[in-house]
Amino acid sequence: FARGPKAEEAQAAGADIVGAEDLMEIVQGGKIEFDRCIATPDMMPVVGRLGKVLGPRNLMPNPKVGTVTMDVEAAVKAAKGGEVQFKVEKAGVLHAGIGKASFDADKLAENVRAFLGAVAKAKPSGSKGTYMKKVSLSSTMGPGVSIDVQSATSE
């Protein structure tokens, strides 16, 4: 969601769909043809009205995640490059998508290692003890499979 020069910047960066009020009307009609929603801060009053549509699908732009930004070009390139968004619960449980069922086993293993590496690098310097105690993988509604943390984090 962007207007004027920021919309052109997003288009040049490779955004699939760019718009403002026109895009809002399309989304309100129930037609969502995107996996990630990025907005400029000036467009948030418009996007805010779409909360009931975008919120349940986890598509609502959020400054904490970096999807509400003036640097539209960098945000679009990061999203296109496969940037992974993850959620953290209060208890310290992390949720993230690392692939699809159509991916081959090598790609999924590579994605798991890359994700766990990013989590390990994000460890605060002041934290003591074991940072990752347990790793489990599951499909969307499938059972979880436990993975040895040491073998998953080592290359």
Side-chain angles (χ1 to χ4, degrees), residues 118-133:
V119 170
K121 284 179 190 158
K123 176 183 177 181
S125 58
S127 70
K128 294 178 180 142
T130 313
Y131 195 58
M132 279 188 269
K133 293 181 181 174

Side-chain angles (χ1 to χ4, degrees), residues 26-104:
I26 293 169
V27 171
Q28 272 182 331
K31 190 175 180 187
I32 299 176
E33 296 179 341
F34 48 84
D35 297 327
R36 185 80 51 94
C37 184
I38 299 169
T40 55
D42 62 311
M43 289 301 297
M44 283 313 288
V46 173
V47 179
R49 290 184 236 152
L50 299 173
K52 288 182 180 169
V53 180
L54 296 175
R57 293 181 174 91
N58 285 332
L59 293 173
M60 192 67 179
N62 181 344
K64 288 182 183 176
V65 182
T67 51
V68 177
T69 178
M70 285 305 289
D71 192 2
V72 178
E73 184 179 1
V76 170
K77 284 184 179 174
K80 285 284 189 180
E83 175 188 61
V84 175
Q85 289 182 331
F86 55 89
K87 289 183 173 180
V88 182
E89 292 180 5
K90 285 183 180 177
V93 178
L94 244 64
H95 299 276
I98 55 146
K100 299 191 183 295
S102 60
F103 287 16
D104 61 25

